[in-house]
Amino acid sequence: MNVDENIFFYLAIAVSLVSFGVAYYFYHWVKSQKSNNERIAEIGSYIRKGSNTFLKKEYIVLSQFAGVIAVLILLFLPEPIWNGKATDNIGMAVCYLLGTVFSAFAGKVGIEVATIANMKAAEAAKEGIKPSFLVGFRGGSVMGMSVVGTSLLGVTLVYALTHDSSMVLGFSFGASSLALFAKAGGGIFTKTADISADLVGKVELSIPEDDPRNPAVIADNVGDNVGDVAGMGADLFDSNVAAMTAALVIAMSLDKGKGNTNIAMIFCYAALGLLASVIGVLSARMGKKGDPTKALNNSTYITTVIFAGLTAVATWAFDMEWRIWGATAIGLAVGVIIGFASDYFTNDNKKPVRYVAKASNMGPAFTIISGVCYGFLSVLPSMIGIAISAVLAYNICDPIGDGYAMFGISMAAMGMLSIVGMIISNDAYGPIVDNARGLAEMGDLGDEVLDITDQLDSAGNTVKAITKGFAIGAAGLTIISLLGAFMSEVNVAAVEKGLEKITGFDIMNPMVFFGILIGTATPAVFSAMLMLGVDRNAQRMVAEIHRQFKEIPGLKEGKKGVTPEYDKCIEIATTGALRELIPAGLVSIVLTLAVGFVGGVYAIGGFLTGNIASGLLLALFMSNSGGLWDNAKKYVESGHEGGKGSDTHKAAVVGDTVGDPFKDTAGPSLNTQVTVVSLVASIMATLFLSFHIFG
């Protein structure tokens, strides 16, 4: 490389600031759109207040948890404070807290814009599908630009100030641990309300989805924001930070005594990825009679091409290693392939969704059986894609030198997440237009507006499945590279202690196999605990809805002036989510620590391997089957297979309620779970090497 490496640090900071500028512009553009319907403003204020109230209570709980973890880090990491340098422990604790703060900020930004954009998008639909789409997309783009700008700026500053892998890992662990609990808590809240509203409203009483008579309807709309916006923002913030962290830890090992060529390349590619996303969101458009799904997907593919071109030019101009560019390009291409696979299994224009809708004619059992089968089938192409990208990236970069093969995998993960700014923009669009659809119905804006918002909502569901495919695929490659980062951290400690370096994990080693078995079971236990939380909470809310319909005179009939006690359902969802969010995440962390202190670093290697394979399979299965059931229900509601109110519709709604905690609670939370346990293993590597019972 023939330029000063520091130029790429400045580039990363500059592009982050540009993304903040674009976010600020879109935020004010969305706020400036017309909004004069008093009923929509009233309901929108309920949603905004409920979302912010939940977020405040959740962050109070999580700040207490983060405080405890920070104290433990201060005492024990990277070495027990009485053995090592106190400044290292203090620095790592501060970086951990910084990661949690940045992650929380990502969620707060999402709530702030989404609870304004939903009202604006609903009223914009009166002017047609094009202006409503643009409000929803630009509202989502505020979050996309803010989250990725914050993650890039955070990692850049932590590295620039410390040049220490432990500090970068501490920052990433802070982001991941908060994201894990924020996604879990938001997912439990949103699916509690969604399931309860659908089962009582659609199945029992055959009333519309967002009928204001339903006591759970406001909680359902609040849930879209706290789960699909705030939780998802923290989740993808974590994914982006973790991908950069894994690459940085390996690059720091490779660059020792040889300059910072690989580190500079990471910041260069990350900055260009965000710049490509900035260009993509600024150029996103849809025709007056266009297809919103096509518009969203085209934006993603255009951004992909821009990133590939920019990084190729940078690689040539600064004489970087073309093999590493190739690994990055492979990750990017496989991300698109995973997106296509997810689209096939979740798009209502494709065979699987229509087959499940048709199967619903025979009752909910067939809805569930067919959806489960297609969900499992959908796993194979994505898993093959992740596997092939890892193998190709490994082999392309292996000839560069020792350690570069694993670095290639980490750069493939960065490639897959390079356009994460566009991915988040598309993903955040979904809950905004979903809320807009509910507001349009509750504000009585008419059937034409409802048709427009239904089209936008369906596009959001389809694209959300694609973006989740990107996120899950990137999580897979990231945690494979985090396994490499774990080995790097272990070997650094081994050299310091005069021990032999580890070169791999032999499955015939009983400690490795012990770890694999427990690691494979952990994602299943984690998922079950989250979904049981939804189950318990939803049962309490259904009982409350029944009570209100029974005890409030005129509510069921919709008499004028009679309104449900919306706040009771919001309180049930909030209390239950806060009660359930800590245990599942804590079990994953505790199991990691237990395996490490029992079997040492070899057991942890097996544990991470099993956790990766099982976590990816379950995440893909649940994300795709849930999206498939959701769009099968919407396909029936659009007039097919008997339409709304038919027995087929009721069966499809049952399938959707099963899929809800799959796609919006457990599935996306698994992305973060596999990342968290990998980071815990990396930051605890020295302790696992020094203190273990067997191995």
Side-chain angles (χ1 to χ4, degrees):
M1 187 176 295
N2 50 20
V3 294
D4 183 357
E5 292 88 350
N6 287 327
I7 192 173
F8 298 115
F9 304 151
Y10 300 136
L11 174 66
I13 293 170
V15 174
S16 298
L17 296 177
V18 169
S19 73
F20 294 147
V22 172
Y24 182 79
Y25 164 70
F26 280 162
Y27 177 73
H28 282 276
W29 183 88
V30 169
K31 281 188 74 175
S32 70
Q33 300 306 297
K34 287 191 297 185
S35 180
N36 49 28
N37 185 300
E38 291 183 6
R39 177 61 175 157
I40 285 180
E42 179 190 2
I43 297 166
S45 69
Y46 291 151
I47 296 169
R48 188 176 180 82
K49 182 181 176 183
S51 300
N52 282 308
T53 299
F54 173 78
L55 204 63
K56 181 180 178 182
K57 290 182 177 180
E58 182 182 53
Y59 282 176
I60 288 171
V61 171
L62 293 182
S63 65
Q64 294 167 348
F65 172 81
V68 172
I69 298 297
V71 170
L72 292 174
I73 289 173
L74 178 65
L75 293 174
F76 298 108
L77 296 172
E79 294 250 11
I81 196 167
W82 51 88
N83 290 344
K85 297 177 182 176
T87 52
D88 289 348
N89 293 59
I90 293 169
M92 196 167 181
V94 169
C95 288
Y96 167 79
L97 290 174
L98 196 62
T100 64
V101 170
F102 274 41
S103 187
F105 173 76
K108 179 61 178 174
V109 167
I111 289 288
E112 192 64 28
V113 67
T115 51
I116 295 173
N118 56 6
M119 294 183 281
K120 306 291 186 177
E123 296 205 49
K126 292 187 291 186
E127 308 297 324
I129 193 169
K130 180 182 176 181
S132 186
F133 167 83
L134 200 57
V135 172
F137 179 76
R138 287 193 165 180
S141 297
V142 173
M143 187 169 174
M145 296 296 95
S146 301
V147 168
V148 186
T150 304
S151 62
L152 179 57
L153 184 63
V155 174
T156 304
L157 291 177
V158 169
Y159 174 78
L161 292 172
T162 67
H163 290 82
D164 188 328
S165 61
S166 295
M167 303 305 153
V168 179
L169 283 166
F171 179 81
S172 185
F173 179 50
S176 295
S177 59
L178 188 125
L180 177 65
F181 296 115
K183 188 64 190 171
I188 292 169
F189 184 110
T190 184
K191 293 305 110 179
T192 292
D194 196 356
I195 288 171
S196 305
D198 280 358
L199 287 179
V200 178
K202 292 182 181 179
V203 177
E204 291 183 19
L205 302 178
S206 296
I207 62 177
E209 180 171 353
D210 293 295
D211 195 301
R213 289 174 289 173
N214 194 327
V217 73
I218 300 296
D220 187 11
N221 284 284
V222 169
D224 290 335
N225 291 291
V226 301
D228 295 340
V229 176
M232 180 272 298
D235 178 16
L236 285 171
F237 174 87
D238 150 60
S239 297
N240 199 36
V241 169
M244 288 188 69
T245 298
L248 273 173
V249 170
I250 298 171
M252 289 168 77
S253 175
L254 294 173
D255 284 349
K256 272 186 180 175
K258 304 174 187 175
N260 292 325
T261 303
N262 295 304
I263 292 169
M265 202 170 187
I266 291 168
F267 286 106
C268 175
Y269 282 16
L272 292 177
L274 180 52
L275 183 60
S277 294
V278 168
I279 297 169
V281 298
L282 286 170
S283 60
R285 293 290 185 276
M286 190 184 83
K288 288 183 179 179
K289 295 184 180 179
D291 179 355
T293 303
K294 187 176 179 181
L296 292 168
N297 286 340
N298 283 345
S299 297
T300 302
Y301 302 142
I302 288 168
T303 305
T304 299
V305 172
I306 292 170
F307 172 75
L310 288 175
T311 50
V313 170
T315 303
W316 168 77
F318 299 117
D319 194 26
M320 296 179 184
E321 175 56 62
W322 279 102
R323 286 180 178 273
I324 295 175
W325 179 86
T328 308
I330 286 168
L332 184 64
V334 169
V336 175
I337 292 168
I338 291 173
F340 277 127
S342 297
D343 179 65
Y344 175 77
F345 285 98
T346 58
N347 194 322
D348 60 10
N349 290 320
K350 303 293 194 298
K351 178 183 172 183
V353 168
R354 296 190 174 189
Y355 180 88
V356 172
K358 187 173 183 180
S360 300
N361 281 308
M362 305 300 291
F366 294 96
T367 309
I368 293 167
I369 291 170
S370 56
V372 166
C373 292
Y374 276 118
F376 277 127
L377 287 172
S378 74
V379 168
L380 184 61
S382 296
M383 292 290 269
I384 289 174
I386 295 167
I388 288 174
S389 62
V391 169
L392 289 178
Y394 186 97
N395 284 292
I396 283 174
C397 293
D398 190 42
I400 303 174
D402 187 35
Y404 276 91
M406 193 60 75
F407 183 59
I409 294 176
S410 70
M411 291 303 290
M414 277 195 63
M416 203 176 284
L417 273 175
S418 58
I419 58 166
V420 70
M422 177 59 76
I423 293 170
I424 295 175
S425 301
N426 284 354
D427 213 9
Y429 156 91
I432 289 172
V433 295
D434 190 2
N435 262 205
R437 193 252 176 239
L439 288 167
E441 185 166 307
M442 288 184 277
D444 199 22
L445 296 185
D447 289 340
E448 187 176 342
V449 170
L450 281 178
D451 286 342
I452 287 171
T453 51
D454 274 336
Q455 288 181 61
L456 295 173
D457 187 22
S458 179
N461 278 322
T462 300
V463 172
K464 192 160 66 171
I466 295 171
T467 58
K468 282 178 181 173
F470 263 97
I472 293 166
L477 290 175
T478 298
I479 52 186
I480 293 170
S481 51
L482 279 171
L483 186 57
F486 167 69
M487 287 178 62
S488 294
E489 292 294 294
V490 169
N491 286 335
V492 167
V495 169
E496 289 177 357
K497 294 178 182 296
L499 300 174
E500 188 177 341
K501 287 185 177 183
I502 61 172
T503 56
F505 303 104
D506 182 0
I507 194 173
M508 298 307 292
N509 181 327
M511 281 297 103
V512 175
F513 195 67
F514 160 78
I516 287 174
L517 292 179
I518 298 175
T520 302
T522 300
V525 173
F526 173 78
S527 301
M529 291 180 72
L530 289 182
M531 290 192 287
L532 280 170
V534 173
D535 176 62
R536 286 190 290 265
N537 226 21
Q539 288 188 46
R540 287 191 287 268
M541 189 176 289
V542 166
E544 172 61 21
I545 297 170
H546 286 156
R547 181 197 69 77
Q548 290 195 35
F549 276 125
K550 183 178 179 181
E551 296 180 7
I552 300 176
L555 179 60
K556 190 180 291 186
E557 295 76 21
K559 288 185 179 178
K560 194 172 182 180
V562 178
T563 57
E565 296 172 348
Y566 295 126
D567 58 325
K568 293 286 179 67
C569 287
I570 293 173
E571 180 61 28
I572 287 171
T574 300
T575 304
L578 295 179
R579 182 190 302 129
E580 304 282 359
L581 69 86
I582 295 291
L586 210 53
V587 162
S588 299
I589 294 172
V590 169
L591 281 173
T592 309
L593 296 175
V595 169
F597 286 126
V598 169
V601 293
Y602 285 102
I604 283 292
F607 179 85
L608 295 180
T609 304
N611 197 69
I612 290 167
S614 172
L616 287 178
L617 185 146
L618 287 173
L620 287 163
F621 160 67
M622 289 192 284
S623 175
N624 289 338
S625 58
L628 185 153
W629 277 316
D630 195 350
N631 277 344
K633 174 200 70 176
K634 284 183 167 58
Y635 181 73
V636 173
E637 288 176 345
S638 65
H640 301 90
E641 305 294 344
K644 288 183 180 179
S646 64
D647 287 341
T648 302
H649 180 221
K650 291 180 179 180
V653 170
V654 171
D656 180 40
T657 57
V658 173
D660 275 337
F662 273 37
K663 69 181 173 66
D664 290 322
T665 306
S669 296
L670 278 168
N671 289 356
T672 318
Q673 186 268 343
V674 292
T675 305
V676 166
V677 299
S678 298
L679 287 167
V680 169
S682 291
I683 64 176
M684 296 289 291
T686 302
L687 292 180
F688 291 153
L689 187 66
S690 303
F691 306 103
H692 52 271
I693 299 172
F694 302 106

